[in-house]
Amino acid sequence: MRDAGLVELTAVHVNHQLNPAADAWARFCRTLCRGYGIPLSVKKVEVKRGNSLEAAARAARYGVFAGIKCEALVLAHNQDDQVETLLLQLLRGSGVKGVSAMPEFRIEKPALLRPLLDVPRSEIVAYARARKLALIAAHRAHAP
């Protein structure tokens, strides 16, 4: 039984196997979580190639999320991710729902929380560097 008011924390890393550095990212997560004493589950997924690689990767990721037994998942999407999603939706000609991009809260089982949607990636990186936190190179060419 856990103490009242305490949250049981575990981490999940979804390895889409789409980037040559994907296995290095999984190792980084293992090392980081081991150092903090946080249980980690690394899930490799097969992304079915089709019209939209992003959509296929998202479907694979959400498949992993659906199988996790927890109340909520906290995701690290940030303001840059939100802008990117919005631009992709606009280019695809999405309607009002698509243009709204990612919600900060999505109530489902488990609930999805994105507390960093209003924070630019540059601020997150600056915060981490100022505190000498371990970082790994982002997967996007434009990332710092």
Side-chain angles (χ1 to χ4, degrees), residues 51-88:
N51 290 342
S52 169
L53 186 60
E54 287 285 335
R58 183 173 39 259
R61 191 168 49 253
Y62 277 68
V64 169
F65 295 166
I68 297 173
K69 306 269 189 267
C70 67
E71 294 176 34
L73 291 168
V74 180
L75 306 176
H77 291 116
N78 58 61
Q79 191 176 63
D80 296 297
D81 297 319
Q82 184 73 302
V83 169
E84 181 180 285
T85 299
L86 175 64
L87 291 173
L88 285 171

Side-chain angles (χ1 to χ4, degrees), residues 52 54-55 58 83-102:
S52 169
E54 287 285 335
R58 183 173 39 259
V83 169
E84 181 180 285
T85 299
L86 175 64
L87 291 173
L88 285 171
Q89 296 294 3
L90 286 171
L91 290 172
R92 291 183 183 133
S94 292
V96 174
K97 184 178 180 193
V99 174
S100 66
M102 292 182 281

Side-chain angles (χ1 to χ4, degrees), residues 7-20:
V7 175
E8 185 178 338
L9 180 65
T10 61
V12 177
H13 173 73
V14 180
N15 182 344
H16 296 89
Q17 305 180 82
L18 295 174
N19 188 294

Side-chain angles (χ1 to χ4, degrees), residues 30-44:
R30 281 189 186 98
T31 301
L32 189 68
C33 287
R34 191 177 309 118
Y36 285 111
I38 298 171
L40 170 69
S41 175
V42 175
K43 304 289 186 180
K44 278 190 174 184

